[in-house]
Amino acid sequence: MRLLLQNGQILSKDNTLVKKDILIEGSKVVQMASEIQVGDGMQVIPLAGKLVIPGLIDMHVHLREPGFEKKETIETGSLAAARGGFTTIACMPNTRPVIDTPKTVENIIQEAERVGKARVLPLGAITIRELGQELTDFEALKQAGIVALSDDGVGVQSSHMMKEAMRKAHELGLSIVAHCEDDTLAKNGCVHDGEFAKKHGLQGIPNEAEAIHVGRDILLAEDVGVHYHVCHISTEQSVRLVREAKSRGQKVTAEVTPHHLLLTDGEIPGLDPLYKMNPPLRSAEDRAALIAGLKDGTIEIIATDHAPHTLEEKAMGMEKAPFGIVGLETAFPLMYTHLVRTGELLLSELVEKMTRKPAEIFGLPYGELAEGKRADITVIDLESEKEIDPANFYSKGKNTPFTGWKCQGWPVLTLLNGTITYQENER
Ligand code: DOR
Ligand code: ZN
Ligand code: ZN
């Protein structure tokens, strides 16, 4: 099968758009040129100047299967990923059972392959059942195909346990991906320890609850030498610590979510759990530090922390509702419209942080659009404006605070290994 993507535009390194025809044969891009002749038996998709980028990569997704299929399944999560322009997603191990055995890893990979809508890379738990007590069998998990290790959903409370984990991970060439949260400081907080918490008399989660772990782990990883990655960085202090570690040449990386880049606790309209996530929405100063960190390379990647929950669960009130919001189907349009079009980030920087950078950091052979490379491709419509409406999400999770936000930059076509996984107007 030969597929010709006709009249698209690719982004060059200096952030300019260049017209290209792209020819795909099987799973590979075989030719990219300003004009390619239509040959016999070629399927042609005219793109009318739309943007063509490498398939998006999201290193932080909760697929909820096994155990929480009411919230999401590998199938619905993969469909949502494809629709959001993602070809590769890494899924977090806080399922039931937790992804802490080779069998669980294998089951997820198998089901994702059956569905075939996205490449799913499971993370394995650092500790058994994510209880922070006993390390999992890293070697067996690696054999089974995990991409990295994380106890996401909870912080690893014991410094000793974390250091042991880093030692073993380093020996095996695995990365430690950390949800940074000190329970003695976070207590049972439900929002940021700031103006919103005060106004509503809620228990707040202070910035140090995150930054203490970031600082601690940087020191531990410095001694061990392991690659250490900070999940959903949300505070000015954490950004400062990562920047300092990087300036010494340490292998520390970080990700930030679209919601922490676009929202602050001051903008939460009322006691609405659709604005409840962990880490919580922080202050305007924190948000500014995140954008500065993104801009100067301290924060290399944007990841969604796609965290589907049922609306019944989300209706339980600010204190009882579970943490988390969905992100796969809105990440690119939100970032393009409210970060790139506002002049805070270049389009080429946004694309890098959602494609080449995550691949580079985790040593994945994806995230590049070039002749001879795998045809993981996303086509974006930079013009049409549409409102975010969770009613038509493919994800089971409708829990987003972005309903009604007007966005441009919607994915209209996604190819995984040369096969169409999403096409606009397909239903
Ligand atoms: O908001 C969040 N949701 N933060 C987490 O750490 C966990 C996640 C979830 O699993 O729902
Ligand atoms: Zn987390
Ligand atoms: Zn998470």
Side-chain angles (χ1 to χ4, degrees):
M1 237 312 265
R2 292 196 297 168
L3 178 65
L4 182 63
L5 302 181
Q6 208 172 42
N7 277 317
Q9 298 200 78
I10 65 164
L11 260 179
S12 61
K13 282 219 169 63
D14 63 357
N15 197 43
T16 53
L17 294 168
V18 185
K19 190 217 164 260
K20 284 277 187 237
D21 286 353
I22 299 171
L23 182 62
I24 297 156
E25 215 172 299
S27 63
K28 291 244 152 75
V29 173
V30 290
Q31 198 187 351
M32 292 175 62
S34 57
E35 195 166 346
I36 298 174
Q37 291 302 312
V38 179
D40 279 350
M42 263 186 208
Q43 184 191 344
V44 181
I45 302 184
L47 296 182
K50 292 197 177 64
L51 175 69
V52 187
I53 58 176
L56 300 176
I57 300 174
D58 188 349
M59 290 310 296
H60 195 137
V61 172
H62 296 271
L63 289 178
R64 305 300 190 203
E65 188 179 348
F68 301 107
E69 289 84 356
K70 277 219 174 91
K71 299 175 196 268
E72 191 81 289
T73 62
I74 291 166
E75 178 155 357
T76 57
S78 299
L79 284 163
R83 189 195 204 178
F86 292 91
T87 48
T88 301
I89 55 177
C91 64
M92 286 298 173
N94 60 340
T95 48
R96 287 292 174 280
V98 165
I99 309 179
D100 58 7
T101 61
K103 189 73 199 150
T104 330
V105 176
E106 285 155 14
N107 288 346
I108 290 169
I109 293 174
Q110 228 172 49
E111 173 62 3
E113 273 170 8
R114 184 196 67 79
V115 173
K117 294 291 181 183
R119 186 180 296 111
V120 174
L121 311 174
L123 281 95
I126 296 172
T127 65
I128 294 172
R129 295 170 63 204
E130 292 200 359
L131 292 175
Q133 304 293 321
E134 200 181 333
L135 296 182
T136 58
D137 185 343
F138 293 1
E139 196 164 4
L141 291 171
K142 185 184 176 182
Q143 288 276 325
I146 59 164
V147 63
L149 290 158
S150 180
D151 268 4
D152 185 52
V154 290
V156 175
Q157 299 305 308
S158 153
S159 309
H160 167 72
M161 190 61 60
M162 188 50 127
K163 190 159 186 188
E164 284 304 299
M166 286 179 175
R167 276 212 186 96
K168 280 211 174 132
H170 188 46
E171 263 172 41
L172 295 163
L174 287 166
S175 307
I176 293 284
V177 172
H179 170 113
C180 291
E181 182 175 9
D182 180 318
D183 289 347
T184 65
L185 290 169
K187 296 196 181 124
N188 287 316
C190 59
V191 293
H192 172 58
D193 188 13
E195 45 179 302
F196 183 86
K198 254 197 218 95
K199 184 170 160 197
H200 296 277
L202 295 167
Q203 175 76 40
I205 304 171
N207 281 22
E208 313 84 71
E210 171 181 287
I212 286 260
H213 268 205
V214 175
R216 175 198 76 173
D217 291 353
I218 284 172
L219 292 171
L220 298 174
E222 182 187 12
D223 188 50
V224 172
V226 72
H227 166 223
Y228 174 72
H229 178 78
V230 183
C231 284
H232 42 53
I233 194 167
S234 73
T235 71
E236 180 275 324
Q237 293 88 337
S238 306
V239 175
R240 198 199 313 153
L241 289 163
V242 171
R243 185 179 288 124
E244 190 277 336
K246 275 195 153 83
S247 75
R248 289 184 283 97
Q250 199 180 329
K251 243 184 355 189
V252 175
T253 56
E255 72 191 27
V256 63
T257 70
H259 44 280
H260 290 108
L261 289 168
L262 297 185
L263 296 169
T264 62
D265 74 328
E267 290 160 325
I268 306 176
L271 292 170
D272 183 351
L274 291 178
Y275 292 79
K276 177 179 178 182
M277 64 288 283
N278 192 13
L281 298 174
R282 302 284 187 187
S283 70
E285 291 73 39
D286 291 308
R287 175 181 177 260
L290 295 175
I291 293 176
L294 199 61
K295 197 73 195 166
D296 74 9
T298 302
I299 304 170
E300 292 91 344
I301 75 181
I302 295 172
T304 65
D305 199 2
H306 178 82
H309 294 289
T310 65
L311 289 180
E312 294 73 51
E313 293 167 302
K314 276 300 206 182
M316 293 193 302
M318 212 56 162
E319 284 167 302
K320 293 225 174 88
F323 289 101
I325 63 168
V326 290
L328 284 170
E329 289 169 87
T330 54
F332 195 88
L334 277 172
M335 292 288 86
Y336 174 65
T337 310
H338 299 281
L339 215 55
V340 172
R341 288 185 61 91
T342 54
E344 287 165 292
L345 201 69
L346 297 174
L347 179 56
S348 56
E349 292 171 326
L350 173 63
V351 171
E352 286 260 297
K353 286 172 190 296
M354 295 181 76
T355 58
R356 198 177 62 77
K357 278 289 171 188
E360 187 183 293
I361 287 172
F362 290 94
L364 308 171
Y366 318 123
E368 264 182 281
L369 176 56
E371 286 181 2
K373 297 275 178 191
R374 187 186 308 260
D376 283 2
I377 294 177
T378 296
V379 179
I380 305 281
D381 176 357
L382 293 175
E383 303 300 325
S384 314
E385 189 180 76
K386 275 191 281 179
E387 270 185 24
I388 292 176
D389 179 6
N392 55 42
F393 284 172
Y394 286 3
S395 170
K396 286 193 186 182
K398 313 297 176 192
N399 48 316
T400 175
F402 293 110
T403 299
W405 283 47
K406 288 188 174 62
C407 291
Q408 291 163 278
W410 293 93
V412 292
L413 177 70
T414 309
L415 301 176
L416 170 65
N417 286 323
T419 300
I420 296 174
T421 51
Y422 171 72
Q423 193 160 18
E424 199 190 24
N425 301 324
E426 67 184 352
R427 81 172 193 192

